[in-house]
Amino acid sequence: MDNSIADKIKHYRKIRNLSQDELASLSGINVSTIKKYESGFRNPKPDQLLKIANALDISINYFVDFDIKNVGDVLALVLKLEKQTDLKIIADKDENGLYIPSSIKLIFESNDINNALAQYMNLQNKEVSKNNDKTVESQSYLVQLDSLQFEVETQKKTKYRSVNTLI
């Protein structure tokens, strides 16, 4: 999969086993416009991209590329994760009460996130250990990772809906 929005829309639509007509119907966007987006002839505006993401039942963030070039970029993402999720940043302290950089750990309290990360790491480990046919392995790995991301998103939404139903 290329990193263009066109390729991502098509990729996630196919993972969901949707036709362009079905995506158009679910998103409320004309099918000819969906075709233009997927061909790269047009780029969706943010509101249209949000409709497509909602129709595909994924976060709009799947369409966003992060251009990480320096430590500040990484730090910004980690701090955002800490504020918006249950990410905890922990570390040991030295005798002066200062944090020891080599002991820093990022920990999520959510079992869903930890399970997804463990599955990702297992897939990544499998990818590294099998160097026979890198192209097929890479494509298989990406499909498995995409499926895993969808599974986690669906589990979160199901739990959220269950809680709201109880309330």
Side-chain angles (χ1 to χ4, degrees):
M1 175 178 68
D2 193 359
N3 284 333
S4 72
I5 289 177
D7 289 330
K8 288 178 182 181
I9 292 171
K10 186 175 186 177
H11 174 77
Y12 291 115
R13 176 181 59 78
K14 287 184 174 186
I15 286 177
R16 286 289 194 207
N17 294 317
L18 295 173
S19 67
Q20 289 177 327
D21 289 324
E22 291 169 321
L23 178 57
S25 176
L26 289 170
S27 66
I29 298 171
N30 191 297
V31 69
S32 65
T33 304
I34 295 289
K35 289 178 181 182
K36 289 175 185 173
Y37 291 160
E38 285 193 5
S39 68
F41 185 71
R42 285 181 56 188
N43 280 323
K45 293 179 180 167
D47 62 319
Q48 298 292 82
L49 196 55
L50 182 59
K51 288 179 182 180
I52 291 169
N54 288 337
L56 294 170
D57 201 26
I58 61 173
S59 168
I60 195 169
N61 292 327
Y62 284 101
F63 297 109
V64 178
D65 286 325
F66 296 102
D67 194 19
I68 300 172
K69 294 184 178 179
N70 56 46
V71 173
D73 294 339
V74 172
L75 190 57
L77 286 172
V78 170
L79 295 178
K80 190 166 194 133
L81 279 170
E82 181 187 30
K83 288 182 184 190
Q84 294 183 3
T85 68
D86 63 355
L87 175 68
K88 302 294 177 219
I89 304 171
I90 62 169
D92 297 328
K93 292 182 179 181
D94 64 16
E95 62 277 353
N96 298 320
L98 300 174
Y99 289 107
I100 303 169
S102 63
S103 72
I104 294 174
K105 293 180 178 66
L106 305 178
I107 300 173
F108 290 95
E109 292 180 350
S110 166
N111 285 335
D112 289 339
I113 294 173
N114 289 329
N115 288 335
L117 287 171
Q119 288 178 0
Y120 166 77
M121 292 170 67
N122 287 331
L123 289 172
Q124 192 174 38
N125 188 43
K126 182 179 175 184
E127 175 73 14
V128 169
S129 66
K130 293 185 179 180
N131 288 327
N132 296 343
D133 187 359
K134 283 197 179 266
T135 305
V136 172
E137 284 287 326
S138 260
Q139 290 170 348
S140 172
Y141 167 72
L142 289 174
V143 168
Q144 289 176 8
L145 182 56
D146 284 332
S147 297
L148 173 62
Q149 289 169 336
F150 279 125
E151 184 180 316
V152 169
E153 288 289 322
T154 304
Q155 286 174 0
K156 282 184 190 174
K157 288 178 183 176
T158 303
K159 285 183 181 179
Y160 177 74
R161 288 182 190 132
S162 301
V163 169
N164 281 341
T165 305
L166 294 173
I167 295 175

